[in-house]
Amino acid sequence: MSSNLVMGLDTFGDVPVGDSGEPVSQAAAIRQVIEEAVLADQTGVDGIALGEHHRPEYSISSPETVLAGIAGRTQRIRLASGVTVLSSDDPVRVFQRFATVDAISNGRAEAILGRGSFTESFPLFGYDLSDYDVLFEEKLDLFVKLLDEKPVTWSGTTRAALDDIEVFPKTESGRLTTWVGVGGSPQSVVRTAQHGLRLMLAIIGGQAARFAPYVDLYRRATEQLETQAYPVGMHSPGFVADTDEQAKEIFWPAYKEQMDRIGKLRGWPPMSRIAFNNEVADGSLYVGSPETVARRIAASVNAVDVGRFDLIYTVGPQPISARTRAVELYGSKVIPMVRDILAG
């Protein structure tokens, strides 16, 4: 599987800092992501995934809109969300937006659906967090029916019923490529297999190898349920610079700022430099020179046995120039090195 490894980039549109050292506007942050996607397309990156958030430090709340902007300026890169928070959205509208991006990009759109790592969208759009599980389960069930691109009859408790309703536009291929983002719940893995969808593992801490049982569970579940088993994907944070030390010194301040901000909400202790260094050395932070990052990605791909690896290349308020360089190095150096290692 690894010989055909797909390698992409992920971002939530973190608001970067400009030459002055001050954060840019959210509008400028969105435009910056588009420029980085164009560069990724030019340097050989296979895909870019944009995550949905509704927080001040992130600029992307509507991934499909930004993906449509990227579609018009790129030729080959796959265009995904990472993730679309399906629980607080309408499945019909999500399908229509992705089918539209698929048309604009000549078939390059991919939906990655999930519950999301934050809950701001629930009160924002009028949903009760006590319905957290049923919202996702019902809406995913409807979305899977929409993927057949035939008249749909469906009823549930979270939206109006559909009675033999046809949804437009349809895709030219006849089926939109769809993943489910999973953070480590066996039930979520089995649900993904049950629906015959692709599995994307969010691995943001600890050794990647501990997620290998989830890949095995997915394959066993698809076999027992007689659904399609696809190559599994994983995404993890990291950063590429010309040297290991440069990468760590650029990445550390912004990473600590972001992790401490989240930590205050979730009761985590402040991020220490020792913990950071341990994650870089042996965990799920892929930070360093192209050689270092390539070697660590290849090791994780083999350990987990995945067919796709996405690097979350923005975490916190990083300098624009450093982010641009990271994308360039990832596409032009890291990806070829990973493939050479895996081929050897």
Side-chain angles (χ1 to χ4, degrees), residues 65-274:
T65 310
V66 184
L67 292 171
I70 294 169
R73 295 187 55 196
T74 54
Q75 299 299 319
R76 41 165 298 281
I77 196 167
R78 301 287 298 178
L79 306 171
S81 56
V83 299
T84 294
V85 184
L86 187 64
S87 307
S88 55
D89 211 329
D90 183 82
V92 174
R93 293 298 284 149
V94 172
F95 176 84
Q96 289 176 322
R97 295 196 301 262
F98 273 101
T100 301
V101 174
D102 201 60
I104 295 168
S105 64
N106 288 309
R108 291 184 279 139
E110 300 186 1
I112 305 181
L113 310 173
R115 300 165 182 261
S117 56
F118 293 91
T119 58
E120 285 82 2
S121 63
F122 287 81
L124 182 63
F125 299 117
Y127 292 100
D128 193 328
L129 277 170
S130 65
D131 297 327
Y132 188 81
D133 289 324
V134 69
L135 281 166
F136 188 71
E137 289 169 7
E138 284 196 0
K139 291 185 176 188
L140 184 63
D141 181 61
L142 173 54
F143 195 89
V144 170
K145 287 181 167 58
L146 295 168
L147 291 175
D148 291 332
E149 302 191 12
K150 297 175 181 177
V152 171
T153 297
W154 178 92
S155 64
T157 62
T158 55
R159 78 173 312 280
L162 299 176
D163 184 14
D164 201 36
I165 297 294
E166 206 159 359
V167 174
F168 305 99
K170 300 182 184 298
T171 64
E172 286 181 324
S173 69
R175 194 166 188 88
L176 179 71
T177 298
T178 305
W179 304 68
V180 176
V182 173
S185 160
Q187 294 86 352
S188 296
V189 173
V190 173
R191 183 193 297 114
T192 303
Q194 179 183 357
H195 286 301
L197 300 176
R198 298 166 194 259
L199 177 68
M200 176 65 74
L201 295 169
I203 306 178
I204 59 172
Q207 292 187 337
R210 65 195 175 94
F211 279 78
Y214 292 107
V215 177
D216 181 58
L217 174 61
Y218 172 74
R219 290 177 184 149
R220 285 188 287 112
T222 56
E223 185 177 350
Q224 291 175 18
L225 295 164
E226 298 182 340
T227 55
Q228 177 71 46
Y230 296 97
V232 174
M234 63 177 281
H235 79 165
S236 295
F239 194 76
V240 191
D242 290 285
T243 68
D244 288 349
E245 284 309 309
Q246 187 182 17
K248 285 188 280 191
E249 291 312 308
I250 292 170
F251 188 76
W252 161 246
Y255 180 74
K256 176 175 172 55
E257 181 177 330
Q258 182 66 354
M259 294 304 289
D260 287 354
R261 181 185 289 119
I262 297 170
K264 285 182 180 178
L265 299 173
R266 301 184 181 179
W268 300 344
M271 172 62 60
S272 71
R273 187 64 189 252
I274 292 174

Side-chain angles (χ1 to χ4, degrees), residues 6-14 33-34 36-38 40-41 45-53 58-60 62-64 66-68 70 77-84 98 101 108-113 179 181 200-201 233-236 308-314 323 327 330:
V6 173
M7 294 192 66
L9 289 168
D10 281 15
T11 180
F12 307 135
D14 303 63
V33 168
I34 294 174
E36 288 160 358
V38 171
D41 184 57
V45 179
D46 295 319
I48 188 161
L50 310 182
E52 173 193 345
H53 283 289
Y58 302 124
S59 65
I60 297 174
S62 175
E64 305 93 334
V66 184
L67 292 171
I70 294 169
I77 196 167
R78 301 287 298 178
L79 306 171
S81 56
V83 299
T84 294
F98 273 101
V101 174
R108 291 184 279 139
E110 300 186 1
I112 305 181
L113 310 173
W179 304 68
M200 176 65 74
L201 295 169
M234 63 177 281
H235 79 165
S236 295
R308 173 172 171 172
F309 180 93
D310 283 4
L311 184 76
I312 307 169
Y313 72 101
T314 62
R323 269 179 40 168
V327 172
Y330 184 75

